[in-house]
Amino acid sequence: MKNKLSIIIPIFNEKNNILVLTKKIIFNLKKIKYEIIYVDDNSFDHSKKVLSELKRRYQFFKPILRKKKRDLTQSCFEGIEKAKYENILVMDGDLQHDPKYIEKFIDKFNLSSSDIIVGSRNFFYKDNKGLNFVRTYASVLLIFFINILLGKKTSDPLSGFFLFKKKLFIGSKKKFFGKGYKILADIIYNNKKVRVSDVKINFKK
């Protein structure tokens, strides 16, 4: 991949995290040309004010302010459609996804023949504080059934942290379910020949 990346971050009421996450991305991406597209899903906590201030400060900062019905997947879709680079990274805006992994994703992308790199959550890592006990086992169980029913392509088809080529989205968008929270599964299982690789991540609180 060329070292150009569009980072799509859907958010809702994340005013306390936007600046922190942006600084972490800047710190971890020193060799890559990128744009950051926060897609605000009609927040009411002054997130829009923070986004406007950062837009004035950084040329690579390109927020989208949605006023439609709230939906995380549609927020991602809108961000991807407006991204100017072919390489797309999707991540959460609540600091659970650590930007330190982004360069690892890119390295894996460059060294493999994969179409998608998935940040696969290490659910049972001793210091993993991202999910409580109930959510951890619910996610593991759901992933188990998805892999049985649809075929295993990744150890975490429900991840919200992944890197892929924009053409996978453009070519299959009409087939997508397009609602809810799991855009990755839409992309993977609507592209039959897609090649997927995992990078293990620790999910933050």
Side-chain angles (χ1 to χ4, degrees):
M1 67 176 277
K2 294 179 181 179
N3 289 333
K4 295 181 180 179
L5 185 66
S6 292
I7 303 172
I8 313 300
I9 309 173
I11 58 169
F12 175 66
N13 290 346
E14 297 287 359
K15 69 170 185 176
N16 295 324
N17 296 328
I18 295 168
L19 180 58
V20 176
L21 180 56
T22 300
K23 287 183 176 180
K24 284 178 177 289
I25 292 172
I26 293 170
F27 177 80
N28 282 280
L29 295 182
K30 294 185 171 67
K31 301 177 182 178
I32 298 166
K33 187 173 183 179
Y34 59 89
E35 62 177 351
I36 300 176
I37 303 176
Y38 282 92
V39 187
D40 181 82
D41 210 0
N42 203 10
S43 297
F44 50 78
D45 70 339
H46 301 298
S47 289
K48 295 173 186 176
K49 182 179 179 180
V50 178
L51 293 173
S52 296
E53 291 173 354
L54 288 172
K55 184 180 180 181
R56 287 194 292 270
R57 188 184 307 178
Y58 299 114
Q59 289 187 338
F60 58 75
F61 199 86
K62 299 174 182 179
I64 296 172
L65 307 179
R66 297 186 79 239
K67 294 184 179 179
K68 301 175 184 178
K69 184 178 179 181
R70 293 189 183 104
D71 187 279
L72 187 145
T73 292
Q74 290 302 318
S75 292
C76 287
F77 284 3
E78 195 164 335
I80 294 167
E81 287 169 350
K82 294 185 179 180
K84 69 178 181 179
Y85 298 130
E86 172 63 16
N87 304 305
I88 307 289
L89 179 98
V90 175
M91 67 186 301
D92 289 349
D94 58 6
L95 304 181
Q96 287 190 300
H97 295 149
D98 195 328
K100 73 179 183 181
Y101 293 108
I102 297 176
E103 285 200 352
K104 292 183 179 180
F105 286 18
I106 292 171
D107 289 343
K108 186 99 171 183
F109 210 54
N110 288 335
L111 294 172
S112 70
S113 57
S114 299
D115 302 300
I116 302 176
I117 304 298
V118 177
S120 177
R121 292 166 290 180
N122 193 354
F123 288 105
F124 300 109
Y125 180 66
K126 63 180 180 179
D127 293 326
N128 193 357
K129 300 176 181 178
L131 295 173
N132 61 35
F133 178 84
V134 174
R135 286 190 63 195
T136 293
Y137 279 91
S139 295
V140 170
L141 189 61
L142 184 55
I143 288 169
F144 174 76
F145 283 113
I146 287 174
N147 286 335
I148 287 178
L149 293 172
L150 301 177
K152 184 176 180 180
K153 292 187 176 182
T154 169
S155 59
D156 193 358
L158 302 181
S159 176
F161 192 16
F162 55 97
L163 171 65
F164 67 104
K165 291 286 187 182
K166 187 175 181 178
K167 64 183 179 182
L168 291 177
F169 170 81
I170 300 299
S172 301
K173 185 184 174 185
K174 292 181 180 179
K175 303 176 185 177
F176 292 166
F177 179 65
K179 295 181 180 180
Y181 299 92
K182 299 307 174 187
I183 179 177
L184 175 61
D186 249 348
I187 293 173
I188 289 176
Y189 295 109
N190 281 292
N191 288 278
K192 293 182 180 180
K193 296 182 179 180
V194 70
R195 295 161 296 185
V196 185
S197 293
D198 291 347
V199 171
K200 283 292 182 182
I201 65 168
N202 294 325
F203 207 44
K204 289 197 166 189
K205 188 173 181 182

